[in-house]
Amino acid sequence: MAEVRFKKLEKVYSNGFKAVHGIDLTIRDGEFLVIVGPSGCAKSTTLRMLAGLENISGGEIQIGDRVVNNLPPKDRGIAMVFQNYALYPHMTVRENLAFGLKLQKLPKEEIERRVNDAAAILEIEELLERLPRQLSGGQAQRVAVGRAIVKKPDVFLFDEPLSNLDAKLRASMRVRISDIHRLLKKEKHPATAVYVTHDQTEAMTMGDRICVMKLGHIMQVDTPEELYNNPKNMFVAGFIGAPEMNLRPAKLVAEQDALFVDVEGQLLRLPEPKATNVKRHNPAGVVFGIRPDDITLADGDEQDQNILCGDVIRMENMGHEVYVYFRVGSQDFTARVPVDQVKIRLNLELRQNVKFAVHMGKSHVFDAASEQNISL
């Protein structure tokens, strides 16, 4: 096991383009950390610098108690799983798993034991004598993971390992990789894991913590629950969650001791302490944020509810729930409504002047200029 630290880590290419902007990050000993972000955010570049496959331009990388800036990959105590599997086509699965151990000149008995243990964990014993061309995509990816496991590294590195698989295989491999990390911990052979992906579902389901990146900057590092419920800025709020958070320009209206968000002339009351936090910042302009999960069809008792009245413009039936898209003035919102509720109240027909209840306790207010969440 090993803690990983980035201190003011930078990457500048020869043409002057700065890909990574002095990031600081601590990945805890034995933690499964997922780095997520859109294409071009430098998440893979950051991982490759940690692996020693990309030179750093500034700062420091520490694995355990060693600064590894100038160490070659083989001396860093890492094992990497690539997007394209990177299996040797002329070697059997067994030979692929054993190859790195042979380079380390381990005893034959130790190599055989590690290969068999990894094959058992990944349930690929029956594949050991096959060549890579005889494997499915999911089987090949399991072999690639097995090749990392046999090395017993301090740090596992995963560079978008599931992006070449279909949706069903991605889901099963997601579970398998998470289970392997937990199993190794349970068997007292844990390793720190750093997993890069652009898929927020992988990030939310696999990570102990998630690091969200944008254009070479870290936007927030937190648990999946905190990222979803308490995003620190508009980028995280919009990137995490599907359907994405409703983020709409709004105004603030103070009446007596209450603070309201004005959405196209309709007032939604901010609860304490959100109202107090927003008042403290006194922003010039705000953006109102609310997740589709926190908007539902209003029931008969509207006195204690915050209501948005709008016209339903489209619905998507997802089976157990319906995404209801509705328009308030010039702004569109999305609600995530149980299918039974839609059937009862909307009868699955497009209607005007439909009342939606907004759970303001789960709402967010962002400063329009800085894009920071000022309601936390």
Side-chain angles (χ1 to χ4, degrees):
M1 283 199 302
E3 183 178 82
V4 175
R5 290 185 180 179
F6 300 151
K7 298 179 180 178
K8 306 298 181 187
L9 185 64
E10 292 186 351
K11 177 62 181 181
V12 182
Y13 288 101
S14 57
N15 63 1
F17 174 70
K18 193 169 188 177
V20 180
H21 296 259
I23 61 174
D24 293 300
L25 177 65
T26 297
I27 304 165
R28 299 164 188 157
D29 197 3
E31 180 178 34
F32 197 116
L33 181 110
V34 179
I35 302 177
V36 68
S39 297
C41 73
K43 55 188 183 294
S44 288
T45 300
T46 301
L47 191 77
R48 290 175 63 83
M49 286 194 289
L50 174 56
L53 302 176
E54 193 87 50
N55 293 327
I56 72 172
S57 304
E60 185 175 286
I61 299 175
Q62 189 173 327
I63 299 177
D65 57 359
R66 299 185 302 162
V67 175
V68 299
N69 290 19
N70 300 313
L71 288 182
K74 67 182 180 64
D75 296 331
R76 295 194 178 200
I78 58 101
M80 192 160 182
V81 180
F82 296 91
Q83 178 180 348
N84 61 357
Y85 318 142
L87 301 180
Y88 297 108
H90 61 288
M91 294 183 183
T92 64
V93 168
R94 184 185 298 279
E95 290 167 338
N96 266 282
L97 294 176
F99 184 70
L101 304 180
K102 289 179 179 178
L103 292 181
Q104 295 177 27
K105 303 189 184 311
L106 292 181
K108 184 176 180 181
E109 297 76 13
E110 174 69 7
I111 293 174
E112 186 174 349
R113 186 183 64 78
R114 289 197 191 187
V115 168
N116 290 335
D117 287 349
I121 290 172
L122 290 159
E123 299 176 4
I124 55 173
E125 295 101 322
E126 74 281 2
L127 307 178
L128 288 175
E129 305 311 322
R130 294 190 191 180
L131 292 169
R133 66 173 180 271
Q134 298 170 313
L135 305 176
S136 68
Q139 290 170 337
Q141 193 55 275
R142 274 191 278 167
V143 175
V145 172
R147 196 168 54 184
I149 290 174
V150 296
K151 293 179 67 176
K152 295 187 177 180
D154 295 323
V155 183
F156 283 116
L157 305 180
F158 298 89
D159 189 9
E160 304 206 37
L162 309 183
S163 58
N164 288 339
L165 305 180
D166 62 43
K168 186 175 180 180
L169 268 177
R170 277 203 307 271
S172 63
M173 280 300 298
R174 196 167 68 219
V175 172
R176 190 178 292 274
I177 290 173
S178 297
D179 286 348
I180 288 169
H181 188 254
R182 282 192 289 269
L183 177 64
L184 292 175
K185 267 189 174 182
K186 187 177 180 181
E187 294 184 347
K188 310 298 183 186
H189 298 295
T192 306
V194 186
Y195 187 105
V196 161
T197 182
H198 64 273
D199 187 329
Q200 61 163 291
T201 302
E202 287 180 21
M204 294 293 285
T205 55
M206 298 178 74
D208 297 326
R209 287 190 305 153
I210 301 171
C211 171
V212 182
M213 292 190 69
K214 175 188 177 184
L215 299 176
H217 295 274
I218 293 177
M219 306 306 289
Q220 186 172 349
V221 183
D222 228 319
T223 63
E225 294 78 14
E226 278 297 303
L227 284 177
Y228 190 81
N229 294 320
N230 297 305
K232 290 184 178 179
N233 51 65
M234 285 174 57
F235 179 81
V236 175
F239 188 81
I240 299 294
E244 67 184 49
M245 182 184 288
N246 297 288
L247 294 167
R248 303 293 179 263
K251 300 175 183 176
L252 296 176
V253 176
E255 291 187 3
Q256 298 178 344
D257 293 331
L259 185 64
F260 295 85
V261 176
D262 181 339
V263 179
E264 298 283 335
Q266 300 186 43
L267 299 184
L268 304 170
R269 181 169 181 166
L270 274 174
E272 295 291 346
K274 289 183 184 292
T276 300
N277 293 336
V278 172
K279 288 177 184 175
R280 187 183 305 123
H281 287 83
N282 192 29
V286 298
V287 173
F288 172 62
I290 187 76
R291 292 206 179 277
D293 315 50
D294 301 317
I295 304 176
T296 190
L297 292 168
D299 56 30
D301 184 14
E302 299 172 8
Q303 185 173 353
D304 296 325
Q305 298 180 357
N306 284 282
I307 301 297
L308 271 182
C309 187
D311 300 336
V312 177
I313 56 176
R314 186 171 74 258
M315 290 187 289
E316 294 179 351
N317 193 331
M318 308 302 290
H320 66 291
E321 62 186 5
V322 178
Y323 298 162
V324 180
Y325 302 89
F326 64 100
R327 184 163 293 153
V328 179
S330 62
Q331 300 189 39
D332 291 350
F333 286 81
T334 306
R336 196 171 179 174
V337 182
V339 67
D340 291 341
Q341 193 182 75
V342 172
K343 287 180 179 178
I344 293 170
R345 299 187 189 165
L346 284 186
N347 197 27
L348 292 177
E349 294 178 359
L350 304 189
R351 288 176 48 186
Q352 295 183 327
N353 299 318
V354 177
K355 293 181 178 179
F356 293 87
V358 181
H359 187 351
M360 290 299 288
K362 297 288 186 70
S363 68
H364 303 277
V365 178
F366 300 90
D367 185 309
S370 68
E371 299 190 354
Q372 297 302 301
N373 191 340
I374 57 175
S375 59
L376 292 179

